[in-house]
Amino acid sequence: MARPRSEDKRNAILSAATRVFAEQGLAAPTAKIAREAGVAEGTLFTYFANKDELLNQLYLELKYEMREVMSEGLRRVDEEDLRELAHRFWVAYIDWGVMHPHKRKVVSTLTLSDRISTENRVAGAAAFAVFNSRLHNSVEQGLICSPSSNFVGALLGAIAEVTMDFVAREPERAAHYREAGFEAFWKSVSA
């Protein structure tokens, strides 16, 4: 009879995978991840059938975590105030990225990886459906000047990465960089 799977072991594997992939890239061996998680390599494959499944599940876990963190701030904002909505999303994103540099690095790497399935990319994007829908509608209504909501999202991501790098380098100026980054983003897209 197979042993029941433990949520703690699964989480330990995902946590170890985040650290190892952040340090060594996606080519890192699963044996290293298993060692870091304190489990046998065979145990890792009890939870994830293969490395691609591990990568895809890690991608989704990180996207869902980001959604939870960013959604918290969005619940307290007037939906009519697009700038405030974007600002709260921005602050939560920057804070998450700075607090979790390994997760930030891995989610960026996984986003560019061809090993993430189309189905999981769609699920990862769906995690941000409320914000993405608002962004799309704002572009359609001319409230944001951009060729597309995807372009706005990519611009937000690029400016956020620079902002997170500066916040991490100079934490004493975190508030300044966070606001300067947001202003740069907002001025680039506001109508």
Side-chain angles (χ1 to χ4, degrees), residues 8 14 19 25 53 58 79 116 151 163-164 172:
D8 289 340
L14 290 171
R19 288 189 308 276
E53 184 179 323
L58 181 58
E79 287 196 28
I116 302 304
F151 182 78
T163 301
M164 288 183 251
E172 69 281 359

Side-chain angles (χ1 to χ4, degrees), residues 16-29:
T18 300
R19 288 189 308 276
V20 171
F21 290 144
E23 294 165 4
Q24 298 182 5
L26 300 183

Side-chain angles (χ1 to χ4, degrees), residues 19-187:
R19 288 189 308 276
V20 171
F21 290 144
E23 294 165 4
Q24 298 182 5
L26 300 183
T30 54
K32 171 84 172 160
I33 294 165
R35 261 193 318 281
E36 289 273 327
V39 301
E41 190 171 11
T43 301
L44 184 147
F45 292 115
T46 299
Y47 289 84
F48 306 97
N50 54 49
K51 191 171 182 180
D52 280 349
E53 184 179 323
L54 172 62
L55 292 170
N56 277 271
Q57 287 304 304
L58 181 58
Y59 173 80
L60 289 175
E61 292 285 328
L62 292 172
K63 287 291 193 173
Y64 295 156
E65 178 182 322
M66 290 169 65
R67 174 197 60 207
E68 289 307 310
V69 168
M70 292 175 218
S71 294
E72 188 59 36
L74 300 181
R75 290 185 191 109
R76 298 183 303 255
V77 73
D78 175 9
E79 287 196 28
E80 296 303 313
D81 189 344
L82 180 60
R83 186 181 196 285
E84 181 63 19
L85 180 73
H87 185 262
R88 287 200 185 242
F89 185 87
W90 173 270
V91 168
Y93 181 41
I94 298 300
D95 290 350
W96 179 85
V98 171
M99 286 176 47
H100 305 287
H102 283 353
K103 290 178 179 180
R104 171 184 157 215
K105 183 175 183 177
V106 171
V107 80
S108 293
T109 303
L110 289 171
T111 298
L112 298 173
S113 174
D114 61 357
R115 295 176 80 171
I116 302 304
S117 71
T118 301
E119 176 185 27
N120 285 329
R121 286 186 190 284
V122 169
F128 301 93
V130 172
F131 186 76
N132 289 337
S133 173
R134 181 65 195 269
L135 190 59
H136 179 76
N137 290 340
S138 297
V139 169
E140 293 293 314
Q141 295 169 9
L143 301 172
I144 291 181
C145 56
S146 173
S148 73
S149 57
N150 288 337
F151 182 78
V152 174
L155 195 57
L156 183 143
I159 295 172
E161 286 295 319
V162 170
T163 301
M164 288 183 251
D165 287 344
F166 274 85
V167 169
R169 260 187 278 174
E170 298 178 46
E172 69 281 359
R173 299 192 68 205
H176 170 75
Y177 287 128
R178 191 171 35 243
E179 292 308 308
F182 178 75
E183 289 304 320
F185 164 72
W186 190 251
K187 286 177 184 172

